[in-house]
Amino acid sequence: MQTLQGIAVSPGVAIGEALVVDNEGFRIPQRFVARDAVQSEIRRLTEAIAGADKEIAANRDTVTKQLGKHYGAIFGAHLKMLHDARLRREIEGMIRQKHYSPEYAVSRTMRRYAKVFQSLDNAFMKERSQDIFDIEKRLLKHLLRDRREGVGQLTSPVVLLAHNLTPSETANLNRRYALGFVTEAGGPGSHTAIVAEAMRLPAVVATGPFLTDVSGGDLVIIDGNLGRVILQPDEETVAKYRYEAEEHRGVEARLKSLANKPAVTSDGVRVQLCGNIEFPYEVEQCQAEGADGIGLYRTEFLYLNAKKEPTESTHYTAYKKVVLAMKGKPVCIRTLDLGADKLSDDAPASDEKNPVLGLRSIRLTLRNVPLFRTQLRAILRASDLGNVQILFPLITTLRELRQVKMLLSDVMEDLEESNIKFDRNIKIGIMAEVPATALMLERFLDEVDFVSIGTNDLIQYTLAVDRSNKDVAPMYTASEPAVLRLIRSSIQASNKVSKPVNICGQMSGNILYTMLLLGFGLRHFSVPPASILEIKKVISSVHIKQCQRVARRVMTMEHAQDIRNYLKEELRKQVPELVP
Ligand code: PEP
Ligand code: MG
C-alpha cells in the first residue's frame, strides 16, 4: 500500500482498478487472456519484439551513420535489453502462469525494472529508467497496433491515472466508466478540475511523479475530499473508505431537505443561489437542488467536445434545452472563453509562450468575428424562449466592451431585418476577472446591467500565479488579502449603483468563504451544482451582522493562512456538521 498526497479538486471517493494513461494518452485495454490463447499470445509477443527490434536497429544504423558509433551504441544497448533472456523469461512466465495479456505482462515487468533503476543513487543509472520506458512504449505500440485507444473509449469502470489531462480529454470521458482520476501535474484552478467537478468525478491533481509505481489493474482509492490517493490499499483501508462514502451519502441526503427552500439567512435576507454549468445535462441537477437560475453557462465546451466548429443550430439546440428546462428562471450564457488551457485536442500546436496572457477568451472571439456572430445569433434567438442574459469573459478595457456591444447591436439588427424574434432588452454583463477591470469597475458599471466576478482568473492575475501549475499551487488562493480587497471593492461598487453582482468562480462554491462574502455584501452566488445545498445550508445558518463582523475582522488580517484558519473556526461555530 502506498499513499500519495495531491490537491483535492473534485470531491468524493472512487475505488477501482487503475488505468494508466501514458504521455501519449493510450491505454492497455486487456489484463487477462484465456487459457487456450496462451500460445498465440506468446506468438504476438515474439512478433512485437521482432517489430521493435527492426525499428531500433534502423535507428541505430541511421544514428551511427550521421553521428558516429558512440551515439549509435545507445540503441545497441536498447537492443540488448530487448533481447535479454531474463526479461523475456519473466514476461513469458506471466503470460503462461498468470494468464496476463502480453501488454499487461510487458508493462508490469518493464515498470518493475525501471523502478529498480530509479531507486539507485547514481544520476546516470537513474536516467536508464527512461530507456526502459522507451522500450516498453515501443513494445506496447506493436502489441496494441490499431487497438491503441484514447481515454475517450473506455469500456469498463476504471480510475484514470495520468501525467496530465486536458479539459477536453476530461470532458470526453465516458461518465459511465470513468470513476475518477489522478494526475501528476495540474493545478487547483485548472479547467480540468472544474470539468471534473461538473462531471462529479472525484479527482486529485498535482501528486508529482508516481506513474512508474503502478500498473494497469492495480486497485486504487481516490479521496477527492482530502487529496489523497492510495495505491494497492489493504482490505481495512478499502472498508474504511466504503464506510466513509456511505456516511457522506447520509450528509447529502440530510441536505436534500433544503432543495425546495429558498436561500435565506437566519435574519431573513434572501440570497440568489444559482448554478454553474458546462454541459446542458447539468441543468437537471441545478433544478433538483432548487437553483435560482444558471449564473454561468460555460459554452466553450460546445467547441471542445466537437470535432468541427459548432453551427448556429448546434448552439441554439444546446441553449434551448437549458433555457426551457429552467422555466423562466435566469440563464446567463457566457460567450466563448477558449484559449489558455481550454483548447480542443485538434487545435494546432501553438508556440505562444504565455497563453494565459495571450490571445484567449474575448480577445480570440473579437479576432474571429464570424465565429462570434454565430454564437451571438444563437444566444439572441434563445432569449425569446425564456430569461436569458449574456456575459462577456475577460473584458479588460472599456474599448473592448464597446466593441463587443457594437457587434451585438449589429447582430440584433440582422435578426430584426429577418423578422427573427429575440429579447431586445436582454441583460448584458461582464466578468470581472482581470484586476484592471476590477479597479475600473465603477466606469464599466455605467455600461453594463450586471457583473460576475470570476475569482478563478482574478486570483491568477492578481497574484501572478498560474492556476494550472502545480509548482505554485500553494500560492493560488482566494484568501490572499490583495484578492479579497479587489473582490470587496467590486461588490461594493456594484451595490452602490444597485447593479447585481455575483461571484461565479470556484470560491463562491467553497463554504469556507460564504460568511465572508455575505459580509462583503454579496447577495448573488453562482456555484457548481454539487455545492448548491451546502452553500444554502451555510446561508440559512448565519445572520448578516455576524457575517459583517467576520468580514471586518478578516480585512485587518495579513496572511492567507491566518484568514483561512479564522474562517474555518467561524464556520465551525455556525455549522459544525459541515466542518470536519
Ligand atoms: C473565473 O475565472 O472565475 C471563471 C468563472 O471563469 P473560468 O473558470 O471559466 O475561467
Ligand atoms: Mg475566467
Side-chain angles (χ1 to χ4, degrees):
M1 181 161 110
Q2 186 187 345
T3 304
L4 312 164
Q5 185 64 49
I7 301 171
V9 292
S10 178
V13 168
I15 305 175
E17 288 192 0
L19 186 137
V20 183
V21 182
D22 77 4
N23 285 345
E24 289 170 26
F26 77 85
R27 62 200 191 81
I28 303 163
Q30 191 190 8
R31 224 182 140 195
F32 295 104
V33 295
R35 193 183 291 265
D36 56 6
V38 163
Q39 223 31 58
S40 60
E41 291 297 299
I42 300 250
R43 260 200 309 280
R44 261 195 339 110
L45 174 70
T46 308
E47 281 163 19
I49 293 176
D53 172 284
K54 243 196 201 152
E55 272 176 18
I56 301 173
N59 282 349
R60 180 198 52 198
D61 296 346
T62 315
V63 171
T64 307
K65 209 150 97 204
Q66 290 178 2
L67 302 171
K69 262 198 173 140
H70 185 66
Y71 288 97
I74 298 172
F75 292 99
H78 280 204
L79 279 176
K80 268 203 188 119
M81 217 182 294
L82 181 73
H83 294 295
D84 181 66
R86 186 174 142 180
L87 185 78
R88 171 80 190 238
R89 253 197 323 277
E90 271 189 49
I91 298 174
E92 269 199 41
M94 284 185 172
I95 304 172
R96 283 187 205 284
Q97 279 125 38
K98 298 188 173 170
H99 298 165
Y100 284 173
S101 69
E103 291 87 347
Y104 188 50
V106 161
S107 175
R108 262 209 108 102
T109 313
M110 307 289 278
R111 276 164 194 246
R112 198 173 65 70
Y113 276 56
K115 229 167 139 182
V116 174
F117 278 93
Q118 279 177 332
S119 68
L120 300 175
D121 256 351
N122 179 318
F124 176 78
M125 293 310 274
K126 262 194 183 36
E127 277 292 301
R128 301 286 63 78
S129 62
Q130 291 311 318
D131 295 324
I132 300 181
F133 287 131
D134 199 24
I135 299 170
E136 180 204 4
K137 209 173 255 182
R138 241 180 240 289
L139 280 174
L140 290 180
K141 191 182 84 185
H142 282 279
L143 283 167
L144 292 165
R145 293 178 189 276
D146 50 1
R147 288 186 302 130
R148 278 179 65 157
E149 289 168 343
V151 289
Q153 294 107 26
L154 302 178
T155 50
S156 61
V158 282
V159 297
L160 284 112
L161 311 178
H163 176 66
N164 210 353
L165 288 174
T166 63
S168 73
E169 278 168 339
T170 313
N172 281 314
L173 289 175
N174 182 336
R175 288 190 301 147
R176 193 158 151 221
Y177 296 126
L179 303 174
F181 68 81
V182 183
T183 60
E184 296 182 323
S190 68
H191 287 95
T192 297
I194 290 168
V195 174
E197 204 173 0
M199 294 171 75
R200 305 203 104 184
L201 289 176
V204 173
V205 303
T207 56
F210 75 98
L211 287 179
T212 51
D213 298 339
V214 276
S215 302
D218 285 354
L219 192 66
V220 175
I221 299 177
I222 302 178
D223 179 344
N225 306 314
L226 298 177
R228 246 174 240 152
V229 182
I230 301 147
L231 307 177
Q232 297 187 299
D234 54 32
E235 277 178 23
E236 201 184 319
T237 311
V238 174
K240 178 180 145 257
Y241 269 99
R242 290 209 198 283
Y243 173 76
E244 274 180 19
E246 212 42 57
E247 286 272 282
H248 184 72
R249 275 194 278 277
V251 176
E252 268 189 357
R254 284 197 290 284
L255 288 176
K256 268 274 173 238
S257 65
L258 289 172
N260 296 323
K261 298 190 179 131
V264 182
T265 60
S266 60
D267 54 338
V269 174
R270 175 76 163 95
V271 176
Q272 190 195 47
L273 184 51
C274 292
N276 292 344
I277 63 168
E278 285 71 40
F279 311 103
Y281 65 75
E282 290 178 273
V283 81
E284 275 164 40
Q285 196 191 347
C286 291
Q287 278 289 45
E289 302 196 338
D292 292 314
I294 302 301
L296 171 66
Y297 179 2
R298 287 183 169 96
T299 57
E300 47 279 4
F301 289 91
L302 279 172
Y303 293 77
L304 294 178
N305 276 358
K307 286 275 161 260
K308 53 183 188 341
E309 211 172 285
T311 59
E312 184 181 320
S313 139
T314 313
H315 281 286
Y316 180 73
T317 309
Y319 306 154
K320 179 176 170 185
K321 180 163 185 226
V322 175
V323 175
L324 292 181
M326 289 311 289
K327 300 192 177 90
K329 288 181 182 170
V331 174
C332 179
I333 304 179
R334 182 175 75 180
T335 63
L336 184 59
D337 187 26
L338 276 180
D341 64 338
K342 281 184 285 194
L343 288 173
S344 91
D345 290 340
D346 306 332
S350 152
D351 55 3
E352 202 169 357
K353 290 279 185 295
N354 286 311
V356 161
L357 301 180
L359 195 59
R360 61 167 290 213
S361 193
I362 201 75
R363 303 171 188 176
L364 197 73
T365 31
L366 280 173
R367 292 271 185 103
N368 197 337
V369 172
L371 175 102
F372 200 12
R373 289 180 75 100
T374 302
Q375 180 173 33
L376 293 176
R377 275 179 70 94
I379 298 176
L380 287 172
R381 283 175 53 206
S383 72
D384 188 48
L385 305 170
N387 183 354
V388 173
Q389 306 173 341
I390 186 163
L391 177 62
F392 297 110
L394 209 81
I395 295 287
T396 308
T397 63
L398 283 160
R399 176 191 285 264
E400 220 167 29
L401 172 63
R402 288 174 192 157
Q403 234 179 316
V404 163
K405 284 177 71 173
M406 243 159 62
L407 197 68
L408 183 68
S409 308
D410 209 40
V411 176
M412 283 177 168
E413 261 172 42
D414 280 357
L415 290 180
E416 258 163 10
E417 272 168 25
S418 315
N419 283 327
I420 297 174
K421 285 208 233 153
F422 65 94
D423 175 7
R424 205 55 194 83
N425 301 312
I426 187 168
K427 299 263 185 294
I428 296 167
I430 54 164
M431 300 272 303
E433 53 183 347
V434 178
T437 317
L439 289 166
M440 290 288 289
L441 203 61
E442 270 177 34
R443 298 296 303 278
F444 279 101
L445 280 159
D446 290 338
E447 303 185 25
V448 296
D449 299 305
F450 67 95
V451 170
S452 188
I453 305 176
T455 47
N456 303 340
D457 276 314
L458 191 61
I459 297 169
Q460 157 167 275
Y461 294 125
T462 306
L463 302 176
V465 171
D466 183 342
R467 59 194 270 192
S468 306
N469 182 338
K470 82 170 177 27
D471 298 326
V472 287
M475 297 167 76
Y476 180 87
T477 172
S479 57
E480 271 303 334
V483 175
L484 294 179
R485 273 171 171 65
L486 280 179
I487 293 171
R488 186 183 60 168
S489 66
S490 303
I491 296 170
Q492 287 173 342
S494 311
N495 286 346
K496 201 166 147 199
V497 292
S498 300
K499 296 227 167 142
V501 54
N502 72 45
I503 295 189
C504 62
Q506 297 297 96
M507 176 194 196
S508 72
N510 185 343
I511 51 174
L512 192 66
Y513 298 109
T514 314
M515 290 182 77
L516 176 66
L517 295 175
L518 287 170
F520 281 167
L522 192 74
R523 299 293 177 263
H524 304 262
F525 290 65
S526 191
V527 309
S531 308
I532 291 176
L533 294 179
E534 272 193 352
I535 297 289
K536 208 186 275 190
K537 172 77 185 159
V538 178
I539 291 173
S540 57
S541 311
V542 299
H543 62 76
I544 294 294
K545 280 237 155 56
Q546 222 170 19
C547 298
Q548 287 168 339
R549 184 180 52 74
V550 166
R552 274 197 302 275
R553 176 77 203 283
V554 163
M555 296 316 277
T556 66
M557 299 169 87
E558 293 175 345
H559 303 295
Q561 187 59 53
D562 294 345
I563 292 174
R564 284 197 297 275
N565 292 344
Y566 169 70
L567 289 175
K568 194 167 178 182
E569 274 322 300
E570 289 298 314
L571 182 64
R572 184 176 281 130
K573 283 187 213 158
Q574 305 309 318
V575 255
E577 63 271 40
L578 290 186
V579 187

